[in-house]
Amino acid sequence: MNYTYNVINCQCTNCGDETDVKFVHSKNTIKETYTLYLITSGNGIAVVDENRYFLEEGMSLISFPFSDLSIISEKKTPIKFKWIEFKGSEAAWIISQTSFSKINPFTLSPKITDFEKYFDIAECHKKELFARCRASGKLIELLSFYIQFSPNVNDNTESYVVSARNYIDKNYRESDFSVQSVADHIKIDRTYLYRLFKKETGMSVKDYINNCRISKAEELLANPSIPIKDVAYSVGFSDQMYFSRTFKKFTGVTPTDFRKETITK
């Protein structure tokens, strides 16, 4: 039986390019994905969650999860850009290592020859395991240039967020694990932790915990011999109904339907 691997935590979901944006380009990103834009020519304005940013050739812009973005093109010099959409807890961590943040969602693009080619990841449109792995690898390579050329220079913030992430990765399977557990471990105020984590990753601490749990649940659900109730308990949910609601919120389908779709592929 062919079980699909579903726990690639830096997953490229879509990519493309806009070559004739004359007036307004709107992209609804009210979902749990990042979208990274590379401005290849022209000028324009980006409106991200009601904040306006000037765009020109050579800039990169990121839209964080649960954000709304519109790009308004200059009439004389229509803007052109490439974009790539991705998700996952590893992706969140990688972005936290760059200068991108909710309050600073743009930077100069890395000075790499033919850099725009890294946005062309044809495998992201394919469903096969080998294609998804290759797409993930190419995405990580792309994001690595932003770590190299636009690193996060806020050492204190980075240490808090990295410490929180590492602690979550090790303990999210515990049923009594919570946001407060993380705040207590790294010894900072819970509200302050929320602001730092949201700023650097685009996700709340709670959403990051649940993302880890759901990603592991996807892996376990691929094995039909494991009851769904046991899957829920194994990833930190003591209530199977709450697990099902959370799973559907993150994936769009119930655990039962996800298992059926996975096994029949």
Side-chain angles (χ1 to χ4, degrees):
M1 193 171 293
N2 180 24
Y3 301 129
T4 303
Y5 182 62
N6 292 290
V7 289
I8 299 175
N9 275 325
C10 190
Q11 182 180 353
C12 177
T13 58
N14 205 356
C15 65
D17 62 89
E18 302 288 342
T19 58
D20 190 25
V21 183
K22 295 181 179 178
F23 298 107
V24 178
H25 168 87
S26 295
K27 186 173 180 61
N28 181 14
T29 53
I30 309 298
K31 52 185 177 179
E32 193 174 289
T33 55
Y34 296 84
T35 307
L36 178 63
Y37 299 85
L38 173 67
I39 311 303
T40 56
S41 67
N43 298 293
I45 300 291
V47 183
V48 184
D49 295 332
E50 300 183 353
N51 296 310
R52 298 170 69 88
Y53 305 94
F54 177 74
L55 299 177
E56 61 183 352
E57 181 178 347
M59 293 182 65
S60 291
L61 170 76
I62 195 166
S63 174
F64 280 79
F66 310 112
S67 293
D68 186 50
L69 177 138
S70 296
I71 294 178
I72 305 169
S73 185
E74 293 282 350
K75 293 183 178 180
K76 293 183 179 180
T77 55
I79 199 167
K80 299 179 182 179
F81 56 85
K82 288 181 173 289
W83 58 271
I84 189 163
E85 188 177 77
F86 55 95
K87 64 180 182 178
S89 56
E90 294 298 327
W93 182 82
I94 291 174
I95 293 302
S96 76
Q97 304 306 297
T98 73
S99 63
F100 287 124
S101 69
K102 291 280 284 186
I103 61 174
N104 181 44
F106 61 92
T107 187
L108 291 176
S109 301
K111 295 182 179 180
I112 302 294
T113 303
D114 297 327
F115 181 62
E116 62 185 71
K117 71 181 181 182
Y118 290 96
F119 281 73
D120 298 324
I121 303 180
E123 290 89 348
C124 75
H125 298 111
K126 300 179 180 179
K127 301 299 183 182
E128 295 89 349
L129 172 59
F130 66 84
R132 293 176 63 199
C133 289
R134 289 174 187 167
S136 178
K138 291 179 179 179
L139 172 61
I140 291 174
E141 182 180 19
L142 166 63
L143 297 180
S144 73
F145 290 118
Y146 289 95
I147 297 177
Q148 180 181 359
F149 291 94
S150 300
N152 182 346
V153 296
N154 191 332
D155 294 334
N156 290 331
T157 297
E158 177 181 338
S159 63
Y160 282 134
V161 173
V162 170
S163 295
R165 176 187 175 276
N166 289 339
Y167 188 64
I168 293 169
D169 291 346
K170 293 177 182 177
N171 295 279
Y172 70 84
R173 295 179 181 86
E174 301 297 327
S175 60
D176 60 348
F177 189 71
S178 66
V179 176
Q180 190 61 54
S181 302
V182 183
D184 290 344
H185 175 72
I186 59 179
K187 297 179 174 58
I188 64 171
D189 178 73
R190 174 174 172 165
T191 302
Y192 183 49
L193 171 63
Y194 171 85
R195 291 202 302 268
L196 290 179
F197 207 91
K198 186 78 172 180
K199 172 186 174 183
E200 295 303 318
T201 69
M203 303 171 68
S204 69
V205 181
K206 182 178 179 181
D207 280 341
Y208 184 87
I209 293 172
N210 282 331
N211 185 76
C212 291
R213 288 172 168 170
I214 297 307
S215 293
K216 183 62 178 178
E218 288 180 328
E219 179 184 5
L220 297 175
L221 286 168
N223 185 343
S225 67
I226 304 177
I228 292 178
K229 178 177 67 175
D230 291 346
V231 172
Y233 293 156
S234 296
V235 298
F237 290 93
S238 57
D239 185 324
Q240 185 177 342
M241 292 299 295
Y242 179 60
F243 165 65
S244 295
R245 290 196 300 271
T246 304
F247 191 92
K248 187 172 182 178
K249 173 186 174 183
F250 276 74
T251 67
V253 295
T254 65
T256 300
D257 289 339
F258 179 87
R259 170 168 279 175
K260 290 177 181 178
E261 293 173 3
T262 301
I263 293 175
T264 55
K265 286 180 180 179

